[in-house]
Amino acid sequence: MCGRYSVNNKKVPKEHRFAALLEGLDFEPNFDARPSQQLPVILPDAPKAVLATWASPEKEPDGKPTLPFNVRQENLLFIPRFRVLLPRNRCIIPVDGFFEWKEVEPEEEEVTAETQAGVALDLFGNPILSKIERSRLKKMKPPKQKYRFNLKSEEPFGLAGLWREGLNRDTGELAPYFSIITTGANTAVAPYHDRMPVILTPESEQTWLNNRLQEKQWYNVLQPYDSRQMAVTAVKD
Protein backbone atom coordinates (compact mmCIF):
# COMPACT_ATOMS: atom_id res chain seq x y z
CA MET A 1 0.00 0.00 0.00
CA CYS A 2 1.07 3.60 -0.50
CA GLY A 3 1.86 4.98 2.95
CA ARG A 4 4.65 7.42 2.10
CA TYR A 5 5.35 9.78 -0.80
CA SER A 6 7.28 12.95 -1.64
CA VAL A 7 6.13 16.30 -3.00
CA ASN A 8 8.39 19.26 -3.73
CA ASN A 9 6.60 22.39 -4.93
CA LYS A 10 9.90 24.21 -5.38
CA LYS A 11 10.93 21.87 -8.21
CA VAL A 12 7.74 21.97 -10.27
CA PRO A 13 8.66 23.41 -13.69
CA LYS A 14 6.79 26.63 -14.51
CA GLU A 15 5.37 25.05 -17.65
CA HIS A 16 4.07 22.00 -15.76
CA ARG A 17 0.29 21.61 -15.47
CA PHE A 18 0.49 21.63 -11.64
CA ALA A 19 2.52 24.86 -11.39
CA ALA A 20 -0.34 27.37 -11.48
CA LEU A 21 -2.48 25.20 -9.18
CA LEU A 22 0.24 24.99 -6.51
CA GLU A 23 1.31 28.63 -6.78
CA GLY A 24 0.74 30.53 -3.55
CA LEU A 25 -0.05 27.43 -1.51
CA ASP A 26 1.78 27.61 1.82
CA PHE A 27 3.54 24.28 2.32
CA GLU A 28 7.15 23.15 2.56
CA PRO A 29 8.72 20.43 0.38
CA ASN A 30 7.99 17.10 2.01
CA PHE A 31 10.19 14.10 1.28
CA ASP A 32 8.40 11.83 3.77
CA ALA A 33 4.72 12.70 3.41
CA ARG A 34 2.64 10.43 5.63
CA PRO A 35 -0.94 10.03 6.89
CA SER A 36 -2.18 12.75 9.30
CA GLN A 37 -0.11 15.45 7.56
CA GLN A 38 -1.57 18.39 5.61
CA LEU A 39 -0.68 18.06 1.93
CA PRO A 40 -1.80 19.62 -1.37
CA VAL A 41 -4.69 18.13 -3.33
CA ILE A 42 -6.38 19.24 -6.55
CA LEU A 43 -10.19 19.32 -6.50
CA PRO A 44 -12.62 19.40 -9.45
CA ASP A 45 -13.39 22.90 -10.77
CA ALA A 46 -11.13 24.53 -8.16
CA PRO A 47 -8.81 27.31 -9.41
CA LYS A 48 -6.11 26.39 -6.88
CA ALA A 49 -4.96 23.33 -4.99
CA VAL A 50 -5.88 23.18 -1.29
CA LEU A 51 -4.23 21.69 1.77
CA ALA A 52 -6.00 18.60 3.08
CA THR A 53 -5.16 16.05 5.76
CA TRP A 54 -4.15 12.60 4.56
CA ALA A 55 -6.70 10.18 6.12
CA SER A 56 -9.57 11.10 8.43
CA PRO A 57 -9.42 10.28 12.16
CA GLU A 58 -13.20 9.79 12.23
CA LYS A 59 -14.50 6.25 12.66
CA GLU A 60 -17.56 4.46 11.36
CA PRO A 61 -19.93 2.64 13.78
CA ASP A 62 -18.05 -0.58 12.97
CA GLY A 63 -14.78 1.04 14.07
CA LYS A 64 -13.30 1.34 10.59
CA PRO A 65 -11.92 4.73 9.46
CA THR A 66 -14.35 6.91 7.54
CA LEU A 67 -11.62 7.75 5.05
CA PRO A 68 -8.44 5.62 5.42
CA PHE A 69 -5.09 6.56 3.94
CA ASN A 70 -5.66 4.09 1.07
CA VAL A 71 -8.84 2.90 -0.66
CA ARG A 72 -8.72 -0.16 -2.87
CA GLN A 73 -10.09 0.46 -6.36
CA GLU A 74 -12.11 -2.76 -6.11
CA ASN A 75 -14.00 -1.40 -3.07
CA LEU A 76 -15.03 1.95 -4.52
CA LEU A 77 -18.33 0.79 -5.96
CA PHE A 78 -19.26 -1.62 -3.17
CA ILE A 79 -18.56 0.12 0.14
CA PRO A 80 -21.27 2.76 0.72
CA ARG A 81 -19.07 5.40 2.40
CA PHE A 82 -16.76 5.40 -0.63
CA ARG A 83 -19.47 5.01 -3.26
CA VAL A 84 -21.25 8.14 -2.04
CA LEU A 85 -18.07 10.19 -2.60
CA LEU A 86 -17.44 9.08 -6.16
CA PRO A 87 -19.87 11.37 -8.04
CA ARG A 88 -18.48 14.68 -6.71
CA ASN A 89 -15.51 14.05 -4.39
CA ARG A 90 -12.74 12.75 -6.61
CA CYS A 91 -9.37 14.50 -6.40
CA ILE A 92 -5.75 14.38 -7.55
CA ILE A 93 -2.76 14.24 -5.22
CA PRO A 94 0.33 15.85 -6.80
CA VAL A 95 3.56 13.95 -5.99
CA ASP A 96 7.01 13.39 -7.44
CA GLY A 97 7.54 9.89 -6.03
CA PHE A 98 6.22 7.28 -3.63
CA PHE A 99 7.89 4.68 -1.44
CA GLU A 100 7.63 1.01 -0.55
CA TRP A 101 9.76 -1.25 1.65
CA LYS A 102 10.90 -4.79 0.98
CA GLU A 103 12.28 -7.25 3.49
CA VAL A 104 15.96 -8.03 3.02
CA GLU A 105 16.96 -11.65 3.44
CA PRO A 106 19.56 -11.82 6.24
CA GLU A 107 22.82 -13.50 5.37
CA GLU A 108 23.36 -16.80 7.12
CA GLU A 109 26.38 -16.76 9.38
CA GLU A 110 28.82 -19.61 9.06
CA VAL A 111 28.98 -21.61 12.29
CA THR A 112 32.65 -22.09 13.12
CA ALA A 113 34.42 -23.84 15.95
CA GLU A 114 35.00 -20.44 17.55
CA THR A 115 31.33 -19.45 17.49
CA GLN A 116 30.39 -22.89 18.79
CA ALA A 117 32.69 -22.65 21.78
CA GLY A 118 30.69 -22.78 24.98
CA VAL A 119 27.38 -23.23 23.10
CA ALA A 120 25.46 -26.50 23.35
CA LEU A 121 24.70 -28.10 19.98
CA ASP A 122 21.93 -30.46 18.94
CA LEU A 123 22.48 -33.76 17.07
CA PHE A 124 22.68 -31.87 13.77
CA GLY A 125 25.31 -29.39 14.95
CA ASN A 126 22.90 -26.46 15.35
CA PRO A 127 23.25 -24.22 18.43
CA ILE A 128 20.65 -24.87 21.11
CA LEU A 129 19.14 -21.49 22.02
CA SER A 130 17.68 -20.58 25.38
CA LYS A 131 14.00 -19.73 25.71
CA ILE A 132 14.90 -16.06 26.14
CA GLU A 133 17.09 -16.09 23.02
CA ARG A 134 14.38 -17.82 20.96
CA SER A 135 11.85 -15.23 22.11
CA ARG A 136 14.22 -12.39 21.21
CA LEU A 137 14.84 -13.76 17.73
CA LYS A 138 11.12 -14.27 17.17
CA LYS A 139 10.40 -10.63 17.99
CA MET A 140 13.18 -9.32 15.76
CA LYS A 141 11.82 -7.87 12.54
CA PRO A 142 13.79 -8.62 9.37
CA PRO A 143 15.58 -5.57 7.93
CA LYS A 144 13.83 -3.72 5.13
CA GLN A 145 15.14 -1.78 2.15
CA LYS A 146 13.33 1.40 1.13
CA TYR A 147 12.59 1.97 -2.58
CA ARG A 148 11.46 5.10 -4.40
CA PHE A 149 9.15 4.94 -7.41
CA ASN A 150 8.91 7.85 -9.82
CA LEU A 151 8.62 8.64 -13.51
CA LYS A 152 11.71 8.28 -15.69
CA SER A 153 11.09 11.85 -16.82
CA GLU A 154 11.40 12.91 -13.14
CA GLU A 155 8.35 15.14 -13.59
CA PRO A 156 5.66 15.50 -10.92
CA PHE A 157 2.61 13.31 -11.47
CA GLY A 158 -0.89 12.91 -10.06
CA LEU A 159 -2.39 10.11 -7.97
CA ALA A 160 -6.13 9.42 -8.04
CA GLY A 161 -7.86 10.05 -4.74
CA LEU A 162 -11.08 10.69 -2.85
CA TRP A 163 -11.72 13.60 -0.50
CA ARG A 164 -14.38 14.59 1.99
CA GLU A 165 -15.01 17.17 4.66
CA GLY A 166 -14.79 16.06 8.26
CA LEU A 167 -14.68 17.62 11.69
CA ASN A 168 -11.27 18.87 12.79
CA ARG A 169 -11.01 17.88 16.45
CA ASP A 170 -8.58 20.71 17.25
CA THR A 171 -10.59 23.57 15.77
CA GLY A 172 -14.13 22.14 15.79
CA GLU A 173 -14.49 23.23 12.15
CA LEU A 174 -14.98 21.27 8.94
CA ALA A 175 -11.75 20.50 7.11
CA PRO A 176 -10.85 18.49 3.97
CA TYR A 177 -9.40 14.98 4.21
CA PHE A 178 -8.20 12.71 1.41
CA SER A 179 -7.32 9.12 0.59
CA ILE A 180 -5.18 7.61 -2.19
CA ILE A 181 -6.78 4.99 -4.45
CA THR A 182 -4.71 1.85 -5.04
CA THR A 183 -4.84 -0.82 -7.72
CA GLY A 184 -2.93 -3.98 -8.60
CA ALA A 185 0.82 -3.51 -9.03
CA ASN A 186 2.39 -3.24 -12.48
CA THR A 187 5.59 -5.11 -13.34
CA ALA A 188 7.77 -2.29 -11.97
CA VAL A 189 6.17 -2.35 -8.51
CA ALA A 190 5.20 -6.05 -8.23
CA PRO A 191 8.63 -7.25 -6.99
CA TYR A 192 8.21 -4.91 -4.00
CA HIS A 193 4.46 -4.87 -3.30
CA ASP A 194 1.28 -6.32 -4.78
CA ARG A 195 -0.50 -2.93 -4.75
CA MET A 196 0.35 0.51 -6.07
CA PRO A 197 -1.31 3.93 -6.13
CA VAL A 198 -3.29 4.80 -9.26
CA ILE A 199 -1.01 7.08 -11.29
CA LEU A 200 -2.94 9.25 -13.72
CA THR A 201 -1.67 10.40 -17.10
CA PRO A 202 -2.19 14.07 -18.01
CA GLU A 203 -5.15 12.97 -20.17
CA SER A 204 -6.73 10.75 -17.52
CA GLU A 205 -6.37 13.55 -14.94
CA GLN A 206 -8.83 15.58 -16.99
CA THR A 207 -11.23 12.64 -17.13
CA TRP A 208 -10.92 11.90 -13.41
CA LEU A 209 -11.79 15.48 -12.41
CA ASN A 210 -14.62 15.93 -14.91
CA ASN A 211 -17.88 15.67 -12.98
CA ARG A 212 -19.87 16.01 -16.20
CA LEU A 213 -18.78 12.60 -17.49
CA GLN A 214 -20.46 9.28 -16.82
CA GLU A 215 -19.24 7.00 -14.03
CA LYS A 216 -17.86 4.41 -16.44
CA GLN A 217 -15.69 7.00 -18.17
CA TRP A 218 -13.77 8.13 -15.11
CA TYR A 219 -13.77 4.73 -13.38
CA ASN A 220 -11.97 3.22 -16.37
CA VAL A 221 -8.89 5.41 -15.78
CA LEU A 222 -8.14 3.53 -12.54
CA GLN A 223 -5.55 1.22 -14.08
CA PRO A 224 -1.96 0.21 -13.24
CA TYR A 225 0.42 2.72 -14.81
CA ASP A 226 2.70 1.84 -17.73
CA SER A 227 5.72 0.29 -16.01
CA ARG A 228 8.00 1.23 -18.91
CA GLN A 229 7.71 4.88 -17.88
CA MET A 230 8.66 4.26 -14.24
CA ALA A 231 11.98 4.18 -12.40
CA VAL A 232 12.79 2.34 -9.16
CA THR A 233 15.66 3.35 -6.87
CA ALA A 234 16.91 1.93 -3.59
CA VAL A 235 17.30 4.75 -1.05
CA LYS A 236 18.46 5.12 2.53
CA ASP A 237 15.59 5.20 5.01
Side-chain angles (χ1 to χ4, degrees):
M1 294 293 185
C2 181
R4 295 286 192 278
Y5 68 82
S6 60
V7 54
N8 187 355
N9 57 324
K10 298 185 188 257
K11 287 194 174 181
V12 178
K14 292 183 179 180
E15 65 276 9
H16 194 277
R17 61 191 180 280
F18 293 161
L21 293 166
L22 296 173
E23 186 179 4
L25 197 63
D26 186 19
F27 77 98
E28 292 298 317
N30 192 330
F31 304 101
D32 187 36
R34 58 182 63 193
S36 80
Q37 293 183 343
Q38 279 201 321
L39 300 157
V41 298
I42 300 168
L43 308 182
D45 303 319
K48 294 285 184 179
V50 302
L51 290 178
T53 301
W54 187 3
S56 170
E58 294 181 304
K59 302 289 185 182
E60 294 295 301
D62 60 5
K64 294 181 179 180
T66 298
L67 196 60
F69 69 95
N70 282 168
V71 175
R72 296 173 71 95
Q73 174 209 348
E74 302 92 316
N75 293 336
L76 287 174
L77 300 179
F78 303 103
I79 296 181
R81 66 180 180 277
F82 303 145
R83 178 65 190 257
V84 74
L85 296 175
L86 282 173
R88 308 294 300 178
N89 287 63
R90 302 183 306 281
C91 67
I92 291 174
I93 301 97
V95 309
D96 51 49
F98 63 91
F99 303 98
E100 291 292 353
W101 284 258
K102 184 179 180 180
E103 291 185 358
V104 178
E105 292 293 335
E107 295 182 3
E108 294 185 4
E109 296 183 3
E110 183 180 355
V111 179
T112 64
E114 292 183 2
T115 61
Q116 292 178 11
V119 178
L121 304 178
D122 61 19
L123 294 175
F124 302 98
N126 300 312
I128 299 175
L129 303 177
S130 68
K131 184 177 180 180
I132 294 176
E133 185 66 13
R134 289 198 305 271
S135 177
R136 184 186 70 83
L137 291 175
K138 187 176 181 180
K139 292 180 180 178
M140 287 179 61
K141 294 182 178 179
K144 292 185 177 182
Q145 172 64 54
K146 183 178 183 180
Y147 293 90
R148 185 172 189 265
F149 301 83
N150 62 296
L151 301 188
K152 288 181 178 178
S153 64
E154 299 187 355
E155 291 185 2
F157 54 96
L159 306 181
L162 291 179
W163 75 279
R164 69 181 294 275
E165 285 190 327
L167 188 66
N168 185 309
R169 295 175 180 175
D170 296 328
T171 66
E173 299 177 348
L174 289 176
Y177 296 87
F178 74 92
S179 179
I180 293 173
I181 297 172
T182 67
T183 188
N186 62 18
T187 55
V189 179
Y192 311 91
H193 203 285
D194 61 353
R195 306 287 300 178
M196 67 178 292
V198 173
I199 300 174
L200 300 170
T201 66
E203 295 75 24
S204 62
E205 286 174 4
Q206 299 300 315
T207 301
W208 182 244
L209 290 186
N210 191 339
N211 285 334
R212 292 175 289 278
L213 298 178
Q214 298 297 314
E215 178 180 283
K216 183 178 180 180
Q217 292 175 279
W218 44 254
Y219 187 79
N220 283 344
V221 307
L222 303 178
Q223 304 289 335
Y225 197 72
D226 183 357
S227 59
R228 295 170 297 180
Q229 299 185 42
M230 296 183 64
V232 185
T233 309
V235 295
K236 291 183 179 180
D237 200 352

